């Protein structure tokens, strides 16, 4: 029998759920050293400090001529070329009353205090023995100063940085061939439900009534791997208590997190709750968000000697089974959890979510009691279009959308209203 309405716990606010979830996780302590070129999306385990200036000396940002400003006080000055300086070659001091042919990236010769770009000069007498200068330079013109990008002793990338293509280039630019990074989180992934079928096992025409293909397993695995996790895909676990307990025991001994989808409601065929409680602890949360109300967090005890872990436990997170609910709750809750587990700086995952105020080119006439995350796409007019079917079972909406509208509980949207838009590019790893 269902509990009377007055006895039900109030729904938990999403921000409160995220704060509570993050309070249970500490960053992994293990580190490893790897080649910089292989460290994309990994998390730095220690500050990366530069041992040199970048650039290492003043250099030219243009092809042209290095001059003394005092020698070019008016247009039309002709100066003899005293040296030629390609990039990667040393320069000799510039003699007064001369100029130096110089190329982009080449060191500025001592005594020179400006570069005149090639387009503002004309060759005189052939073979670049002298040049006619058609522009009056200013001190420092077209010179990149030593250390203007990075100074010696500066922290180039702080501990907790999730490495990107640009940051790897920056690390290489200071000579870092190897980086110390946090070990990959080990995540065991499985789905529950006798209705689930793996693509390729049964042709569409032979699917039994009530059977569905397991889409959640595919996108969750990809999301985990893009988050830098080492994923063990345990497949589909039958809706049986014994099978669920066995899967949890096996996963807990060798992983930092067990992630499941489905089986976190209170139905008679949902065995996740009693199985996790048998092996550890579990909280079932009802979160005031749509899609994605049911969510579970807990921990599963490891066998003695099974592996290192905080308190000898493995984290457990149970996502709802509906695909859009599973997708959205991963982005809004699991992603921050994994970032903290990897030691990423808190600013990358703490609420609130980063939003833009954009115009709604749609209407939402009925308000919901929960905070809604609507699947939308930016249009050519600078506004937002709404996917017509916002059901939590319609995964097409997530594939079509380029963002989510974060719509507060009890709020209707009229065409032309400004709404809070979260770009999926901000959330997708």
């Amino acid at each position: 029998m269902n509990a009377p309405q007055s006895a039900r716990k109030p729904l938990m606010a999403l921000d409160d759920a995220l704060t509570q979830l993050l309070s249970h996780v500490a960053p992994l302590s293990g580190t490893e050293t790897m080649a910089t070129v292989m460290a994309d999306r990994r998390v730095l385990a220690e500050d990366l400090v530069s041992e040199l200036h970048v650039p290492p000396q003043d250099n030219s940002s243009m092809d042209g001529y290095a001059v003394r400003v005092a020698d070019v006080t008016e247009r039309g000055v002709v100066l003899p070329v005293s040296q030629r300086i390609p990039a990667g070659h040393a320069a000799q001091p510039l003699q007064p009353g001369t100029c130096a042919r110089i190329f982009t990236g080449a060191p500025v010769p001592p005594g020179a205090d400006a570069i005149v770009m090639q387009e503002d000069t004309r060759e005189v007498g052939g073979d670049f023995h002298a040049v006619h200068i058609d522009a009056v330079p200013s001190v420092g013109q077209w010179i990149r100063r030593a250390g203007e990008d990075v100074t010696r002793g500066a922290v180039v990338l702080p501990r907790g940085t999730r490495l990107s293509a640009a940051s790897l280039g920056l690390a290489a630019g200071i000579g870092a061939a190897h980086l110390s990074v946090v070990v990959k989180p080990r995540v065991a992934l499985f789905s529950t439900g006798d209705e689930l079928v793996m693509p390729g096992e049964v042709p569409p025409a032979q699917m039994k009534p009530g059977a569905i293909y397991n889409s959640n397993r595919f996108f969750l695995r990809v999301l985990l791997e893009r988050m830098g996790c080492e994923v063990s895909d345990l497949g589909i676990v039958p809706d049986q208590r014994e099978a669920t307990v066995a899967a949890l025991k096996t996963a807990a001994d060798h992983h930092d997190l067990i992630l499941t989808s489905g089986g976190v409601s209170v139905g008679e065929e949902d065995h996740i709750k009693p199985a996790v409680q048998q092996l550890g602890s579990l909280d079932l949360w009802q979160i005031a968000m749509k899609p994605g109300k049911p969510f579970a967090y807990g921990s599963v005890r490891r066998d003695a000697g099974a592996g290192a872990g905080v308190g000898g436990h493995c984290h457990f997170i149970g996502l709802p089974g509906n695909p859009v609910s599973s997708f959205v709750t991963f982005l809004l809750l699991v992603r921050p959890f994994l970032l903290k587990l990897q030691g990423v700086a808190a600013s990358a995952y703490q609420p609130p979510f980063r939003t833009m105020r954009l115009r709604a080119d749609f209407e939402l006439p009925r308000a919901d009691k929960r905070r809604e995350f609507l699947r939308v796409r930016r249009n050519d007019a600078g506004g937002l279009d709404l996917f017509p079917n916002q059901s939590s079972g319609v995964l097409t909406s997530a594939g079509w959308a380029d963002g989510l509208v974060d719509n507060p509980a009890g709020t209707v949207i009229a065409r032309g209203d400004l709404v809070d838009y979260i770009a999926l590019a901000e959330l997708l790893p």
Side-chain angles (χ1 to χ4, degrees):
M1 179 179 297
N2 292 333
Q5 185 69 29
S6 59
R8 292 178 181 172
K9 292 183 179 180
L11 299 182
M12 182 184 297
L14 174 61
D15 288 353
D16 292 342
L18 179 55
T19 299
Q20 186 169 331
L21 180 66
L22 293 175
S23 71
H24 292 291
V25 60
L28 297 170
S29 59
T31 65
E32 60 181 322
T33 300
M34 65 187 310
T36 298
V37 72
M38 301 298 294
D40 185 36
R41 299 183 182 179
R42 300 297 295 272
V43 177
L44 268 184
E46 57 188 34
D47 291 346
L48 183 63
V49 179
S50 179
E51 298 180 7
L52 77 166
H53 287 324
V54 180
Q57 62 275 314
D58 292 356
N59 69 87
S60 177
S61 63
M62 288 285 180
D63 290 347
Y65 295 87
V67 300
R68 294 172 179 266
V69 168
D71 292 335
V72 189
T73 57
E74 60 183 359
R75 298 176 60 182
V77 170
V78 176
L79 295 176
V81 179
S82 59
Q83 60 179 306
R84 184 176 185 273
I85 315 171
H89 292 257
Q92 299 300 316
L94 184 66
Q95 298 302 314
T98 71
C99 65
R101 177 74 167 134
I102 196 167
F103 297 89
T104 302
V108 176
D113 54 8
I115 307 296
V116 178
M117 64 175 149
Q118 184 171 314
E119 292 83 348
D120 289 334
T121 66
R122 289 182 285 123
E123 180 186 358
V124 176
D127 295 330
F128 293 98
H129 291 311
V131 292
H132 182 282
I133 298 177
D134 297 325
V136 178
S138 57
V139 173
Q141 174 178 295
W142 304 122
I143 294 177
R144 291 185 293 219
R145 297 300 184 185
E148 74 173 34
D149 186 4
V150 177
T151 58
R152 184 184 299 109
V155 175
V156 175
L157 296 170
R159 175 184 180 182
T161 297
R162 191 159 185 258
L163 298 165
S164 64
S167 54
L168 292 178
L170 182 55
I174 64 167
H178 295 83
L179 297 171
S180 176
V181 297
V182 178
V183 294
K184 286 187 173 185
R186 301 164 301 169
V187 181
L189 173 67
F190 65 84
S191 303
T192 63
D194 290 340
E195 76 279 10
L196 298 176
V197 176
M198 285 302 298
E201 292 181 351
V202 180
Q206 298 178 19
M207 290 280 281
K208 297 179 180 179
I212 57 173
Y213 288 120
N214 186 5
S215 60
N216 294 17
R217 178 180 178 184
F218 283 76
F219 67 71
L220 289 175
R221 177 169 179 165
V222 170
L223 289 171
L224 288 167
E225 289 176 343
R226 289 184 180 178
M227 287 292 300
C229 299
E230 182 180 304
V231 182
S232 299
D233 190 339
L234 304 185
I236 301 170
V237 175
D239 278 332
Q240 300 169 7
R241 173 79 170 270
E242 295 78 9
T244 305
V245 169
L248 290 169
K249 280 185 175 180
T250 300
D253 288 348
H254 305 288
H255 296 88
D256 304 297
L257 169 66
I258 301 169
L259 182 67
T260 70
S261 64
V264 294
S265 62
V266 293
E268 293 179 2
E269 295 300 318
D270 293 328
H271 299 288
I272 288 291
K273 179 180 178 180
V276 175
Q277 289 176 330
Q278 178 180 330
L279 301 172
S281 63
L282 183 71
D283 289 324
L284 290 178
W285 299 345
Q286 297 289 299
I287 303 177
M289 63 181 290
K290 181 182 180 181
K293 182 170 70 171
F295 186 87
Y297 172 77
S299 62
V300 179
R301 290 186 300 274
R302 290 189 173 99
D303 288 339
V310 178
H313 288 72
C314 175
H315 297 287
F316 173 86
I317 292 178
L319 300 178
N322 281 327
V324 183
S325 299
S326 188
F327 181 76
V328 171
T329 51
F330 183 98
L331 297 181
L332 302 185
L333 291 167
V334 180
R335 174 182 173 274
F337 180 93
L338 290 171
L339 290 174
K340 184 173 181 182
L341 188 64
Q342 295 176 81
V344 174
S347 59
Y349 55 77
Q350 294 283 17
F353 305 109
R354 186 157 56 183
T355 61
M356 301 170 57
R357 295 287 283 174
L358 295 179
R359 185 188 69 248
D361 289 342
F362 62 87
E363 295 181 352
L364 190 74
R366 296 180 61 184
D368 199 274
K369 295 180 180 179
R370 291 176 283 165
R371 181 177 176 182
E372 295 182 274
F373 291 91
L374 306 168
R375 277 75 71 206
V376 296
R377 179 194 281 178
R378 299 180 71 168
N379 57 41
D380 293 339
L384 297 173
D385 295 328
L386 181 73
F387 193 79
N389 189 335
Q390 292 288 312
S391 168
S392 61
V394 179
L395 192 55
T396 309
S397 66
W400 171 89
D402 63 13
L404 304 171
V405 165
D406 184 355
N407 192 44
T411 303
V412 299
I413 298 174
R415 189 177 298 272
D417 285 350
L418 293 179
V419 294
D420 289 327
Y421 167 85
I422 306 172
L424 283 179
E426 294 281 341
L427 300 175
L428 289 171

CSV table of all heavy atoms in Angstrom, one decimal, residues 53-61 67 69 106 108-115 138-151:
chain,number,residue,atom,x,y,z
A,53,HIS,N,61.7,31.1,-19.2
A,53,HIS,CA,60.8,32.0,-19.8
A,53,HIS,C,60.3,31.5,-21.1
A,53,HIS,O,61.0,30.8,-21.9
A,53,HIS,CB,61.5,33.4,-20.1
A,53,HIS,CG,61.8,34.2,-18.9
A,53,HIS,ND1,61.0,34.2,-17.8
A,53,HIS,CD2,62.9,35.0,-18.6
A,53,HIS,CE1,61.6,35.0,-16.9
A,53,HIS,NE2,62.7,35.5,-17.3
A,54,VAL,N,59.0,31.9,-21.5
A,54,VAL,CA,58.5,31.6,-22.8
A,54,VAL,C,57.9,32.9,-23.3
A,54,VAL,O,57.0,33.5,-22.7
A,54,VAL,CB,57.4,30.5,-22.8
A,54,VAL,CG1,56.8,30.3,-24.2
A,54,VAL,CG2,57.9,29.2,-22.2
A,55,PRO,N,58.4,33.5,-24.4
A,55,PRO,CA,59.6,33.0,-25.1
A,55,PRO,C,60.8,33.2,-24.3
A,55,PRO,O,60.9,34.1,-23.4
A,55,PRO,CB,59.6,33.9,-26.4
A,55,PRO,CG,58.8,35.1,-26.0
A,55,PRO,CD,57.8,34.7,-25.0
A,56,PRO,N,61.9,32.5,-24.6
A,56,PRO,CA,63.1,32.6,-23.8
A,56,PRO,C,63.9,33.9,-23.9
A,56,PRO,O,64.7,34.2,-23.1
A,56,PRO,CB,64.0,31.4,-24.3
A,56,PRO,CG,63.4,31.1,-25.6
A,56,PRO,CD,62.0,31.4,-25.6
A,57,GLN,N,63.7,34.6,-25.0
A,57,GLN,CA,64.3,35.9,-25.2
A,57,GLN,C,63.4,36.7,-26.1
A,57,GLN,O,62.5,36.2,-26.7
A,57,GLN,CB,65.7,35.8,-25.9
A,57,GLN,CG,65.7,35.2,-27.3
A,57,GLN,CD,65.7,33.7,-27.3
A,57,GLN,OE1,66.5,33.1,-26.6
A,57,GLN,NE2,64.9,33.1,-28.1
A,58,ASP,N,63.7,38.0,-26.1
A,58,ASP,CA,62.9,38.9,-27.0
A,58,ASP,C,63.1,38.4,-28.5
A,58,ASP,O,64.1,38.0,-28.9
A,58,ASP,CB,63.5,40.4,-27.0
A,58,ASP,CG,63.2,41.0,-25.6
A,58,ASP,OD1,62.6,40.4,-24.8
A,58,ASP,OD2,63.7,42.2,-25.5
A,59,ASN,N,61.9,38.3,-29.2
A,59,ASN,CA,62.0,37.9,-30.5
A,59,ASN,C,61.0,38.7,-31.4
A,59,ASN,O,60.1,39.3,-30.9
A,59,ASN,CB,61.7,36.4,-30.6
A,59,ASN,CG,60.3,36.0,-30.3
A,59,ASN,OD1,59.4,36.0,-31.2
A,59,ASN,ND2,60.0,35.7,-29.0
A,60,SER,N,61.2,38.5,-32.7
A,60,SER,CA,60.4,39.3,-33.6
A,60,SER,C,59.0,38.6,-33.9
A,60,SER,O,59.0,37.3,-34.1
A,60,SER,CB,61.1,39.5,-35.0
A,60,SER,OG,60.3,40.1,-35.9
A,61,SER,N,58.0,39.3,-34.0
A,61,SER,CA,56.7,38.8,-34.3
A,61,SER,C,56.3,39.0,-35.8
A,61,SER,O,55.2,38.6,-36.2
A,61,SER,CB,55.6,39.4,-33.5
A,61,SER,OG,55.4,40.8,-33.7
A,67,VAL,N,65.7,47.5,-36.0
A,67,VAL,CA,66.3,48.8,-36.0
A,67,VAL,C,66.4,49.4,-34.7
A,67,VAL,O,65.8,48.9,-33.7
A,67,VAL,CB,65.4,49.7,-36.9
A,67,VAL,CG1,65.3,49.2,-38.4
A,67,VAL,CG2,64.1,50.0,-36.3
A,69,VAL,N,65.3,52.8,-32.9
A,69,VAL,CA,64.3,53.8,-33.2
A,69,VAL,C,65.0,55.2,-33.4
A,69,VAL,O,64.6,56.0,-34.3
A,69,VAL,CB,63.3,53.9,-32.0
A,69,VAL,CG1,62.4,55.2,-32.1
A,69,VAL,CG2,62.4,52.7,-32.0
A,106,ALA,N,62.7,35.0,-34.7
A,106,ALA,CA,64.2,35.1,-34.5
A,106,ALA,C,64.5,36.1,-33.3
A,106,ALA,O,63.7,37.0,-33.1
A,106,ALA,CB,64.8,35.7,-35.8
A,108,VAL,N,65.8,39.1,-31.2
A,108,VAL,CA,66.1,40.5,-31.5
A,108,VAL,C,67.5,40.8,-31.1
A,108,VAL,O,67.9,40.5,-30.0
A,108,VAL,CB,65.1,41.4,-30.7
A,108,VAL,CG1,65.5,42.9,-30.9
A,108,VAL,CG2,63.7,41.2,-31.1
A,109,PRO,N,68.3,41.4,-32.0
A,109,PRO,CA,69.7,41.6,-31.6
A,109,PRO,C,69.9,42.7,-30.6
A,109,PRO,O,69.1,43.6,-30.5
A,109,PRO,CB,70.3,42.1,-33.0
A,109,PRO,CG,69.1,42.7,-33.7
A,109,PRO,CD,68.0,41.8,-33.3
A,110,PRO,N,70.8,42.5,-29.7
A,110,PRO,CA,71.1,43.6,-28.7
A,110,PRO,C,71.3,44.9,-29.3
A,110,PRO,O,72.0,45.0,-30.4
A,110,PRO,CB,72.4,43.1,-28.0
A,110,PRO,CG,72.4,41.6,-28.2
A,110,PRO,CD,71.8,41.4,-29.6
A,111,GLY,N,70.7,45.9,-28.8
A,111,GLY,CA,70.8,47.3,-29.3
A,111,GLY,C,69.6,47.7,-30.1
A,111,GLY,O,69.2,48.9,-30.2
A,112,ALA,N,68.9,46.7,-30.7
A,112,ALA,CA,67.6,47.0,-31.5
A,112,ALA,C,66.5,47.2,-30.5
A,112,ALA,O,66.4,46.5,-29.5
A,112,ALA,CB,67.3,45.9,-32.5
A,113,ASP,N,65.6,48.1,-30.8
A,113,ASP,CA,64.4,48.3,-29.9
A,113,ASP,C,63.1,48.4,-30.7
A,113,ASP,O,62.1,48.7,-30.1
A,113,ASP,CB,64.6,49.6,-29.1
A,113,ASP,CG,64.9,50.8,-29.9
A,113,ASP,OD1,64.8,50.8,-31.2
A,113,ASP,OD2,65.2,51.9,-29.3
A,114,ALA,N,63.1,48.0,-32.0
A,114,ALA,CA,61.8,47.9,-32.8
A,114,ALA,C,62.1,47.0,-34.0
A,114,ALA,O,63.2,46.8,-34.4
A,114,ALA,CB,61.4,49.3,-33.2
A,115,ILE,N,60.9,46.6,-34.5
A,115,ILE,CA,60.9,45.8,-35.8
A,115,ILE,C,60.1,46.6,-36.8
A,115,ILE,O,59.0,47.0,-36.4
A,115,ILE,CB,60.4,44.4,-35.6
A,115,ILE,CG1,61.1,43.6,-34.5
A,115,ILE,CG2,60.4,43.7,-37.0
A,115,ILE,CD1,62.6,43.4,-34.8
A,138,SER,N,58.0,52.7,-33.5
A,138,SER,CA,57.9,53.1,-32.1
A,138,SER,C,58.7,52.1,-31.3
A,138,SER,O,58.8,50.9,-31.7
A,138,SER,CB,56.5,53.3,-31.6
A,138,SER,OG,55.8,52.0,-31.8
A,139,VAL,N,59.1,52.5,-30.1
A,139,VAL,CA,59.9,51.5,-29.3
A,139,VAL,C,59.0,50.3,-28.9
A,139,VAL,O,57.9,50.4,-28.5
A,139,VAL,CB,60.4,52.2,-28.0
A,139,VAL,CG1,61.1,51.2,-27.1
A,139,VAL,CG2,61.4,53.3,-28.4
A,140,GLY,N,59.6,49.1,-29.2
A,140,GLY,CA,58.9,47.9,-28.8
A,140,GLY,C,58.0,47.3,-29.9
A,140,GLY,O,57.4,46.2,-29.8
A,141,GLN,N,57.9,48.0,-31.0
A,141,GLN,CA,57.0,47.6,-32.1
A,141,GLN,C,57.4,46.3,-32.6
A,141,GLN,O,58.5,46.0,-33.0
A,141,GLN,CB,57.1,48.7,-33.2
A,141,GLN,CG,56.3,48.4,-34.5
A,141,GLN,CD,56.4,49.5,-35.5
A,141,GLN,OE1,56.0,50.6,-35.2
A,141,GLN,NE2,57.1,49.2,-36.6
A,142,TRP,N,56.4,45.3,-32.7
A,142,TRP,CA,56.5,44.0,-33.2
A,142,TRP,C,57.6,43.1,-32.5
A,142,TRP,O,58.1,42.2,-33.1
A,142,TRP,CB,56.8,44.0,-34.7
A,142,TRP,CG,55.8,44.8,-35.5
A,142,TRP,CD1,56.0,45.8,-36.4
A,142,TRP,CD2,54.4,44.5,-35.6
A,142,TRP,NE1,54.8,46.3,-36.9
A,142,TRP,CE2,53.8,45.5,-36.5
A,142,TRP,CE3,53.5,43.6,-35.0
A,142,TRP,CZ2,52.4,45.6,-36.7
A,142,TRP,CZ3,52.1,43.7,-35.2
A,142,TRP,CH2,51.6,44.7,-36.1
A,143,ILE,N,57.8,43.5,-31.3
A,143,ILE,CA,58.8,42.6,-30.5
A,143,ILE,C,58.0,41.9,-29.4
A,143,ILE,O,57.2,42.5,-28.6
A,143,ILE,CB,59.8,43.5,-29.8
A,143,ILE,CG1,60.8,44.1,-30.8
A,143,ILE,CG2,60.7,42.7,-28.8
A,143,ILE,CD1,61.8,45.1,-30.2
A,144,ARG,N,58.2,40.6,-29.4
A,144,ARG,CA,57.6,39.8,-28.3
A,144,ARG,C,58.6,39.6,-27.2
A,144,ARG,O,59.7,39.1,-27.4
A,144,ARG,CB,57.2,38.4,-28.8
A,144,ARG,CG,56.0,38.4,-29.8
A,144,ARG,CD,55.6,37.0,-30.2
A,144,ARG,NE,56.6,36.3,-31.0
A,144,ARG,CZ,56.3,35.6,-32.1
A,144,ARG,NH1,55.1,35.4,-32.5
A,144,ARG,NH2,57.3,35.0,-32.8
A,145,ARG,N,58.3,40.1,-26.0
A,145,ARG,CA,59.2,40.2,-24.9
A,145,ARG,C,59.5,38.8,-24.3
A,145,ARG,O,58.6,38.0,-24.2
A,145,ARG,CB,58.8,41.2,-23.9
A,145,ARG,CG,58.7,42.6,-24.4
A,145,ARG,CD,60.0,43.1,-24.9
A,145,ARG,NE,60.0,44.5,-25.3
A,145,ARG,CZ,61.0,45.2,-25.8
A,145,ARG,NH1,62.1,44.5,-26.0
A,145,ARG,NH2,60.9,46.5,-26.2
A,146,ALA,N,60.7,38.6,-23.8
A,146,ALA,CA,61.0,37.4,-23.1
A,146,ALA,C,60.1,37.2,-21.9
A,146,ALA,O,59.9,38.2,-21.1
A,146,ALA,CB,62.5,37.4,-22.6
A,147,GLY,N,59.5,36.0,-21.8
A,147,GLY,CA,58.6,35.8,-20.6
A,147,GLY,C,57.2,36.4,-20.7
A,147,GLY,O,56.5,36.3,-19.7
A,148,GLU,N,56.8,37.0,-21.8
A,148,GLU,CA,55.5,37.6,-21.9
A,148,GLU,C,54.4,36.5,-21.9
A,148,GLU,O,53.3,36.8,-21.6
A,148,GLU,CB,55.4,38.5,-23.1
A,148,GLU,CG,55.3,37.9,-24.4
A,148,GLU,CD,55.0,38.9,-25.5
A,148,GLU,OE1,55.4,40.0,-25.5
A,148,GLU,OE2,54.3,38.5,-26.5
A,149,ASP,N,54.7,35.3,-22.3
A,149,ASP,CA,53.8,34.2,-22.3
A,149,ASP,C,53.9,33.5,-20.9
A,149,ASP,O,52.9,33.4,-20.2
A,149,ASP,CB,54.0,33.2,-23.4
A,149,ASP,CG,53.0,32.1,-23.5
A,149,ASP,OD1,52.0,32.2,-22.7
A,149,ASP,OD2,53.1,31.3,-24.4
A,150,VAL,N,55.1,33.1,-20.6
A,150,VAL,CA,55.3,32.3,-19.3
A,150,VAL,C,56.6,32.8,-18.7
A,150,VAL,O,57.6,33.0,-19.4
A,150,VAL,CB,55.4,30.8,-19.5
A,150,VAL,CG1,55.7,30.1,-18.2
A,150,VAL,CG2,54.1,30.3,-20.1
A,151,THR,N,56.6,33.1,-17.4
A,151,THR,CA,57.8,33.5,-16.7
A,151,THR,C,58.4,32.3,-15.9
A,151,THR,O,57.7,31.4,-15.5
A,151,THR,CB,57.6,34.7,-15.7
A,151,THR,OG1,56.6,34.3,-14.8
A,151,THR,CG2,57.1,35.9,-16.5
